Amino acid sequence: MTSAHPHDTSIRALYAAFLDGWNRRSGAAVASGFADDGDMVGYDGTHHHGRLAIAADFRQIFGGHQTATYVAVIRSVRPVAPGVAVLMAHAGMIPPGAADVDPRFHTVHTLVAVEEDGRWRISLLQATPAAWHQHPEAREALTQELRGLLATAR
């Protein structure tokens, strides 16, 4: 068991703002929490580098494609070094036009946050598919947990 980060609330809010920007389909909002030289590795492995490029890339993505909506649960926020923290979350995607998460698209989000001038910024956010082929019971448990979050939000 690792101890919570002393800036746990701020780092959780940073991740929540990222999800909110994504779910509103706003490239500017997605990018707003990133460090100037931040990186994002998407679910499909696409690498986006730099806050301005992330904003532009996602403005284009959101403008040309229907994207899934995220629902997520934060698993941990822990210190790595002074001014550096790691947030781990599991997220589900609700496909466009659907009302439920699709277990085929569960993901693990790893967020590395850095403190810059008293503000926490995203240095790296990586989305890794969470197929859990050898552990279908874990995938099903996550599906049920995310569905519970959806039911509470409604």
Side-chain angles (χ1 to χ4, degrees), residues 93-95 97-103 143 146-147 150 154:
M93 295 183 193
I94 303 167
D100 193 12
V101 293
D102 186 333
T143 301
L146 295 170
R147 285 177 175 156
L150 283 172
R154 291 182 181 144

Side-chain angles (χ1 to χ4, degrees), residues 3 9 13 16-17 26 31 33 45 57 68 76 78 87 91 94 100 102-103 115 129 132-133 137 142 149 151-152:
S3 60
T9 302
S26 168
D57 291 351
S76 65
R78 61 185 175 81
L87 176 146
I94 303 167
D100 193 12
D102 186 333
E115 191 173 22
W132 293 323
H133 296 297
E137 70 285 354
L142 176 58
L149 291 173
T152 303

Side-chain angles (χ1 to χ4, degrees), residues 85-151:
V86 171
L87 176 146
M88 298 291 296
H90 286 136
M93 295 183 193
I94 303 167
D100 193 12
V101 293
D102 186 333
R104 296 175 300 163
F105 302 113
H106 289 344
T107 185
V108 177
H109 280 160
T110 305
L111 183 151
V112 177
V114 294
E115 191 173 22
E116 295 180 345
D117 300 322
R119 279 187 74 189
W120 286 93
R121 311 295 281 169
I122 301 169
S123 179
L124 171 68
L125 189 140
Q126 179 163 338
T128 304
W132 293 323
H133 296 297
Q134 300 302 313
H135 301 282
E137 70 285 354
R139 183 177 53 245
E140 180 57 28
L142 176 58
T143 301
Q144 294 308 317
E145 183 178 14
L146 295 170
R147 285 177 175 156
L149 291 173
L150 283 172

